[in-house]
């Protein structure tokens, strides 16, 4: 049986859990009883991209295990400082698909709004680790510009709330955003891309369920879960609450070397997601962002893993293998 640290989150609101997230590598290592030998490399990685991990997520890691698959997603390491050919600051060229602040429009029929620059957690492999969030969020004036832009683009039927993590913002603000979007008649679907129900399951509040399901827009939530150990009882019940409220739930996973790059790990994840009423949607090859090359799994290995996964799972539990290619009008499927 794995030895976990006790979670201190039971009496805290999700906002308190966010504000008390671990933000220094030495605290993360000490909490998990790990050696100080890891600290020098962690500090160099932290200088590139800050450490941020809420306790609710740490509580699912194994005490004393430096190879824990959740820890490896959030502990900065020296390798992040390496310059590796082909790994760049803006691998998806999002900064050139940015018609106004907080708006990314590169897919036909749908558009992405950066609702919040903040995330509950800083995933070391994140393709937006260098994205200029500070310049690119929806505030008062830019929100009105975004609404005007969406109104003028009558072929857009779906708005995707993204970030950062859109659920890092308050329910009050999100309720207002959704109300204004629902008044635009050509919009049909509201999709939310979020990792928060996985990182801090208490984020799934009654208020969230209310604004998300009391609109005429069809609600879809795409969560981001990379490993079966991320789904504990609290996450499971948060996901079931969303499902019972009528939200379509899908998952996207990033294929990560040393974390989930084998068919057994992905099969276990798919089964656990399904038990929580979530369908596997995409398995992404890593976006080639500077600082994340050590997580990269090459295409050939990814295809082999997919073939094994297809042999182990029913079709509805097999995600699509995709990669994002800068300038392409959608995700690029990879045949297996
Ligand atoms: S939660 Fe998503 S956007 Fe935020 S750091 Fe992790 S992968 Fe990136």
């Amino acid at each position: 049986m794995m030895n976990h640290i006790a979670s201190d989150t039971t009496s805290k609101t999700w906002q308190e859990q966010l504000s008390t997230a671990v933000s220094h590598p030495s605290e993360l290592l000490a909490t998990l009883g790990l050696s100080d030998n890891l600290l020098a490399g962690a500090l160099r990685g932290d200088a590139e991209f800050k450490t941020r991990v809420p306790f609710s997520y740490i509580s699912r890691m194994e005490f004393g295990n430096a190879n824990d698959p959740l820890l490896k997603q959030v502990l900065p390491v020296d390798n992040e400082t390496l310059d590796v050919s082909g790994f760049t600051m803006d691998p998806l060229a999002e900064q050139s698909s940015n018609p106004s602040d907080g708006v990314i429009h590169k897919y036909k029929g749908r558009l992405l709004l950066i609702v919040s620059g903040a995330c509950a957690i800083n995933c070391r492999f994140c393709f937006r680790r260098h994205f200029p969030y500070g310049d690119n969020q929806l505030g008062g004036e830019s929100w009105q510009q975004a609404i005007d832009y969406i109104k003028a683009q009558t072929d857009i039927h779906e708005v995707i709330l993204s970030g950062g993590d859109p659920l890092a913002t308050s329910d009050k603000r999100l309720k207002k955003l959704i109300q204004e979007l629902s008044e635009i008649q050509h919009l049909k679907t509201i999709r939310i891309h979020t990792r928060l129900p996985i990182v801090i399951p208490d984020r799934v509040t009654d208020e969230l369920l209310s604004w998300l399901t009391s609109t005429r827009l069809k609600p879809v939530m795409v969560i981001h879960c990379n490993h079966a150990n991320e789904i504990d009882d609290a996450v499971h019940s948060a996901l079931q609450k969303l499902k019972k409220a009528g939200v379509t739930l899908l998952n996207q996973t990033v294929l990560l070397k040393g974390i989930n790059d084998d068919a057994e790990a992905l099969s276990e994840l798919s089964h656990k997601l399904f038990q929580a009423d979530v369908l596997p949607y995409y398995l992404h090859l890593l976006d080639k962002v500077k600082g994340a090359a050590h997580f990269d799994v090459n295409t050939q290995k990814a295809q082999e893993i997919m073939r094994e996964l297809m042999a182990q799972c029913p079709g509805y539990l097999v995600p699509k293998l995709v990669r994002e290619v800068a300038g392409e009008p959608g995700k690029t499927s990879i045949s297996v």
Side-chain angles (χ1 to χ4, degrees), residues 49 119 121-123 125-126 133 164-165 195 224:
F49 183 43
C119 276
I121 191 165
N122 282 348
C123 309
F125 50 85
C126 183
Y133 288 125
D165 196 313
R195 191 147 156 72
H224 174 179

Side-chain angles (χ1 to χ4, degrees), residues 27-70:
E27 189 185 354
L28 181 56
L29 293 171
T31 305
L32 290 162
L34 290 168
S35 161
D36 271 355
N37 294 343
L38 297 167
L39 186 58
L43 288 173
R44 284 191 285 274
D46 181 78
E48 300 280 315
F49 183 43
K50 289 299 296 171
T51 304
R52 183 168 172 79
V53 203
F55 276 102
S56 60
Y57 192 79
I58 298 172
S59 70
R60 287 165 253 163
M61 297 175 189
E62 186 183 7
F63 189 80
N65 180 6
N67 283 317
D68 182 278
L70 276 55

Side-chain angles (χ1 to χ4, degrees), residues 49 73 117-129 133 162-166 193-196 199 224 226 254:
F49 183 43
Q73 295 182 52
C119 276
I121 191 165
N122 282 348
C123 309
R124 309 313 301 176
F125 50 85
C126 183
F127 73 98
R128 292 202 180 116
R129 53 186 281 157
Y133 288 125
S162 185
D165 196 313
H193 281 194
T194 176
R195 191 147 156 72
L196 251 156
V199 178
H224 174 179
N226 294 324
V254 182

Side-chain angles (χ1 to χ4, degrees), residues 90-195:
D90 181 23
L92 305 186
E94 288 199 322
Q95 292 172 54
S96 60
S97 309
N98 198 200
S100 78
D101 280 353
V103 177
I104 294 178
H105 189 192
K106 59 180 180 174
Y107 297 141
K108 189 166 166 40
R110 54 214 191 272
L111 164 148
L112 195 140
L113 296 179
I114 298 181
V115 172
S116 161
C119 276
I121 191 165
N122 282 348
C123 309
R124 309 313 301 176
F125 50 85
C126 183
F127 73 98
R128 292 202 180 116
R129 53 186 281 157
H130 310 289
F131 195 76
Y133 288 125
D135 311 338
N136 224 322
Q137 290 179 50
L138 292 169
E141 202 176 314
S142 56
W143 173 247
Q144 193 49 52
Q145 283 167 0
I147 289 281
D148 292 345
Y149 182 81
I150 298 167
K151 280 183 181 162
Q153 310 285 317
T154 52
D155 65 326
I156 294 175
H157 55 81
E158 178 172 19
V159 167
I160 301 166
L161 304 188
S162 185
D165 196 313
L167 295 188
T169 202
S170 71
D171 285 318
K172 189 172 167 213
R173 177 165 177 250
L174 287 163
K175 182 178 177 183
K176 191 162 178 290
L177 299 186
I178 299 289
Q179 274 170 351
E180 288 187 46
L181 289 171
S182 69
E183 283 161 19
I184 303 175
Q185 285 311 310
H186 51 268
L187 294 182
K188 307 282 181 241
T189 305
I190 185 78
R191 191 193 328 171
I192 298 178
H193 281 194
T194 176
R195 191 147 156 72

Side-chain angles (χ1 to χ4, degrees), residues 3 46 96 105 119-120 134 155 171 203 232 234 245 262 272 281 283 293 301 322 325:
N3 184 11
D46 181 78
S96 60
H105 189 192
C119 276
D155 65 326
D171 285 318
R203 177 64 188 91
D232 63 0
D262 64 77
K272 224 162 163 186
Y281 176 37
L283 178 63
K301 169 105 193 273
V322 293
V325 178

